[in-house]
Amino acid sequence: MTEHRSGAGWWRDSVFYRVDVRSFADADGDGVGDLDGVLSRLGYLELLGVDAIVLSGVGGLDYEPESLEALLSEAHHAGIRLMVAMDLDPARDDPREVLGAWLDLGVDGFHLDPREGASEPVRAVVDRYPERVVIGSGPGWQLGFNLDLAVAGFDAEAVQDAITRVLFAGDPRPAWAMATRETARDEAALTPVRAMALVQLGLPGAVCLRHGEELGLPGTQRMPMPWEGEKPPFGFSAAEGEWPSISAEWAPFTVESQLEDPHSTLSLYRRALELRNEHPAFRGDEVEWFGAPDGCLAFRRAGSELTCALNTTSEPVPVPPGEVLLSSRPLIGGQLPEGSAVWLC
């Protein structure tokens, strides 16, 4: 069994992996992802090192109850929590009925997109179940979903302002997320993506990833996950036919092609999640800022030795003191390359 965080505060620094079920893995060959498909790829999620899976789109999915029960059982056995994403309107939906049914099944919480004023009645239901958590926007939740880093773009000053603003708010604890990226992927486009991954994963609070983000994938929110092979649908489904939503150019982005490549985006995420989960430097609920060249930033997790430095300029810059734990690109002559980030201890 994988060792993951446990106890009443397990969610505080957890990595939540949102799965759009219809686009993740198709187990029955009908061309649409399903819960059995998620179950079939559970080993990958355990290998990736996520703490919780957030199922999206389950409400409109036709599935057998046994499939959810099996997924819950196997995920928990692997040390992974299982949550559900949903839209909740307290004016039409009774939280006790809607959420209680899921909680009685054994799910570990929700990522809600509720209407204003929902936090109090929802928390009244969820708090009756030990160790359950709600991710939401606005006050009143255990975790506050935010896209402030994504809005800031790849600009050191804007990124620092966003981090300071979110941490200064204090409550709820942040759940950092990045926006879906639409542009075609090449090495130049992946450079800031990889750098911002280290900034995101180096901060106090939880992290929300969307499936495929760890592969550096382009596309829309519900892109089919490319698993293996050289042509569409890249192991997503055994269904015959054309796959216009899956580009043939995605072959270098499959899990299979990146898994054993130590320089791939997937390998960077795997190592980052491993360090975040196991290294003692990843503690402390505040950040301390250091002086940095223009176009750069550097912060330390208060109470620890972890330092994260980001270079958004077009030139290499000196690296802060410390032993390198992980960098988004190899250092050049002891300097941090342009468009890169590094963790030091």
Side-chain angles (χ1 to χ4, degrees):
M1 179 185 293
T2 301
E3 291 294 330
H4 283 299
R5 300 174 179 86
S6 61
W10 66 268
W11 42 268
R12 291 178 57 82
D13 292 284
S14 288
V15 175
F16 296 84
Y17 187 90
R18 181 163 176 146
V19 169
D20 294 316
V21 177
R22 293 174 177 270
S23 304
F24 191 66
D26 171 25
D28 60 13
D30 67 353
V32 178
D34 44 54
L35 291 179
D36 288 337
V38 179
L39 178 59
S40 73
R41 298 295 183 173
L42 191 61
Y44 166 74
L45 300 179
E46 187 177 4
L47 185 70
L48 181 58
V50 301
D51 298 294
I53 303 167
V54 182
L55 300 176
S56 176
V58 180
L61 197 67
D62 184 20
Y63 64 90
E64 296 294 331
E66 294 80 6
S67 296
L68 179 61
E69 292 170 6
L71 180 56
L72 269 167
S73 175
E74 291 300 316
H76 287 168
H77 182 73
I80 301 175
R81 311 273 180 158
L82 193 69
M83 300 172 60
V84 176
M86 64 175 65
D87 186 1
L88 185 70
D89 184 353
R92 298 191 304 273
D93 301 319
D94 181 354
R96 291 173 297 179
E97 180 180 338
V98 176
L99 303 183
W102 286 104
L103 292 166
D104 288 340
L105 287 172
V107 301
D108 298 287
F110 307 94
H111 186 168
L112 298 182
D113 185 18
R115 311 298 173 87
E116 186 176 354
S119 61
E120 186 173 341
V122 168
R123 286 293 301 271
V125 174
V126 175
D127 288 349
R128 295 204 301 264
Y129 295 76
E131 298 186 24
R132 305 308 205 272
V133 63
V134 179
I135 306 172
S137 299
W141 312 108
Q142 287 109 321
L143 290 172
F145 181 81
N146 74 82
L147 286 165
D148 294 64
L149 290 180
V151 174
F154 198 59
D155 177 272
E157 183 177 358
V159 169
Q160 182 169 339
D161 288 345
I163 294 170
T164 301
R165 182 174 60 253
V166 171
L167 292 181
F168 180 78
D171 182 40
R173 189 167 180 82
W176 306 96
M178 299 294 290
T180 303
R181 305 171 181 99
E182 301 288 348
T183 55
R185 283 288 163 260
D186 54 27
E187 189 58 36
L190 280 172
T191 296
V193 171
R194 292 161 60 95
M196 287 303 297
L198 293 194
V199 174
Q200 178 190 24
L201 291 165
L203 288 168
V207 167
C208 294
L209 303 178
R210 185 179 290 276
H211 86 244
E213 189 171 341
E214 76 280 12
L215 303 178
L217 281 176
T220 59
Q221 294 183 349
R222 295 187 179 272
M223 68 186 77
M225 184 78 165
W227 293 100
E228 64 240 350
E230 298 297 324
K231 61 181 182 179
F234 298 115
F236 164 72
S237 173
E240 300 290 339
E242 300 294 325
W243 292 89
S245 64
I246 307 179
S247 171
E249 297 179 355
W250 288 10
F253 297 99
T254 65
V255 171
E256 179 183 54
S257 67
Q258 295 195 45
L259 198 56
E260 300 302 325
D261 178 1
H263 305 295
S264 69
T265 303
L266 175 57
S267 292
L268 178 74
Y269 269 91
R270 286 185 62 199
R271 181 57 178 153
L273 266 60
E274 179 183 35
L275 286 169
R276 180 183 169 93
N277 191 50
E278 297 179 359
H279 200 283
F282 288 81
R283 63 177 187 270
D285 292 340
E286 299 178 359
V287 300
E288 302 168 340
W289 296 102
F290 295 89
D294 289 343
C296 302
L297 64 79
F299 66 82
R300 175 178 293 163
R301 292 279 288 266
S304 80
E305 297 301 318
L306 177 72
T307 298
C308 178
L310 172 68
N311 175 14
T312 66
T313 74
S314 58
E315 300 291 337
V317 298
V319 176
E323 177 186 350
V324 174
L325 292 178
L326 187 63
S327 59
S328 62
R329 295 176 65 198
L331 302 188
I332 300 175
Q335 292 194 313
L336 183 62
E338 63 275 12
S340 301
V342 64
W343 287 346
L344 306 111
C345 184

